[in-house]
Amino acid sequence: SQQGEEDPQALSIQEGENATMNCSYKTSINNLQWYRQNSGRGLVHLILIRSNEREKHSGRLRVTLDTSKKSSSLLITASRAADTASYFCATVVPNTGTASKLTFGTGTRLQVTL
Amino acid sequence: ETGVTQTPRHLVMGMTNKKSLKCEQHLGHNAMYWYKQSAKKPLELMFVYNFKEQTENNSVPSRFSPECPNSSHLFLHLHTLQPEDSALYLCASSQERGGGDTGELFFGEGSRLTVL
């Protein structure tokens, strides 16, 4: 079963509004990451938050992490049409190997209209 | 020059063909990955290589054969594929520090594969 699940699956807002996406996961994590993907392109890393952090900011992005609820949220403030994309959360679970792996959710499709 | 380059960007092949996908990273990273992205499904991790050694094979069918000749190059050899293998294949790299604390992945633009 997948580790991360985003909610909502799709979100449509107008330019200038804020967009909030949520991610829930099942097991303990080392860190949680958010990625963005424009249609048919590769994923681009947005922000990483570690398990001992509660909130992180990067430009118009704000990420929160609640390890007790096993959930995270991504807030995009003052959205722009160029923010239209799919957004994925990915979790890194602790392991003893030499290389870890990220487990991705199914993503939230964000549409920002003028 | 992008950090992770994938070729070809698009590939159409028959079920009896043999083809290869190539990935090259210019970031000096020590880990490389193949992911499969199908419509309406989460990204599926296929293979992980760390310092050229395969550390993860996520129950991938043998018709997919990875090759990692050095830390900068990763191939995915394709043989006798099925139509359901049609997907976007994404390569990524990262700098692993060990201890299970993976940092960010850098992705290529992907290779769109269509199996007829």
Side-chain angles (χ1 to χ4, degrees):
Chain A
S1 61
Q2 64 197 59
Q3 166 75 325
E5 291 190 23
E6 289 89 344
D7 170 62
Q9 291 188 347
L11 180 61
S12 182
I13 60 173
Q14 290 193 318
E15 203 171 47
E17 294 181 334
N18 295 342
T20 300
M21 290 159 265
N22 303 295
C23 170
S24 60
Y25 57 91
K26 296 183 173 66
T27 63
S28 297
I29 60 171
N30 276 350
N31 68 60
L32 185 145
Q33 304 178 28
W34 285 91
Y35 288 79
R36 165 200 168 117
Q37 182 181 35
N38 284 19
S39 182
R41 307 291 294 275
L43 279 72
V44 176
H45 181 266
L46 295 176
I47 198 164
L48 180 155
I49 187 164
R50 299 193 182 283
S51 58
N52 60 355
E53 297 176 307
R54 292 295 167 260
E55 188 170 311
K56 209 161 181 181
H57 297 255
S58 176
R60 293 184 295 114
L61 306 180
R62 172 177 167 251
V63 168
T64 62
L65 179 65
D66 187 334
T67 52
S68 66
K69 295 181 179 178
K70 292 187 170 58
S71 67
S72 173
S73 67
L74 170 67
L75 168 68
I76 304 174
T77 59
S79 63
R80 305 166 181 167
D83 294 327
T84 295
S86 292
Y87 292 81
F88 297 87
C89 71
T91 52
V92 178
V93 299
N95 74 43
T96 57
T98 55
S100 303
K101 58 183 182 181
L102 269 69
T103 305
F104 287 82
T106 51
T108 293
R109 290 183 55 83
L110 173 65
Q111 176 77 42
V112 181
T113 56
L114 297 172
Chain B
E1 183 181 78
T2 57
V4 181
T5 305
Q6 289 188 243
T7 55
R9 292 293 312 278
H10 300 274
L11 178 63
V12 180
M13 59 186 289
M15 289 191 285
T16 58
N17 291 160
K18 288 184 182 181
K19 297 286 184 183
S20 297
L21 306 180
K22 178 183 176 182
C23 177
E24 183 175 0
Q25 59 101 355
H26 311 276
L27 302 168
H29 289 164
N30 56 17
M32 296 187 76
Y33 310 76
W34 279 117
Y35 280 88
K36 175 184 178 182
Q37 187 177 34
S38 305
K40 300 188 188 308
K41 292 176 70 175
L43 265 73
E44 300 173 55
L45 178 65
M46 300 175 72
F47 302 103
V48 180
Y49 277 82
N50 189 245
F51 290 106
K52 302 188 300 178
E53 298 298 320
Q54 187 180 120
T55 57
E56 183 88 19
N57 177 338
N58 207 21
S59 302
V60 181
S62 59
R63 57 185 183 269
F64 294 92
S65 175
E67 178 190 359
C68 189
N70 53 61
S71 294
S72 299
H73 293 85
L74 185 65
F75 295 89
L76 188 62
H77 302 300
L78 314 170
H79 175 51
T80 323
L81 295 192
Q82 305 298 313
E84 59 265 29
D85 296 322
S86 298
L88 182 67
Y89 289 85
L90 292 161
C91 173
S93 70
S94 71
Q95 184 61 29
E96 287 297 297
R97 293 177 288 274
D101 189 18
T102 293
E104 66 179 285
L105 263 59
F106 291 78
F107 283 84
E109 295 285 22
S111 293
R112 172 70 63 185
L113 173 67
T114 302
V115 182
L116 301 176

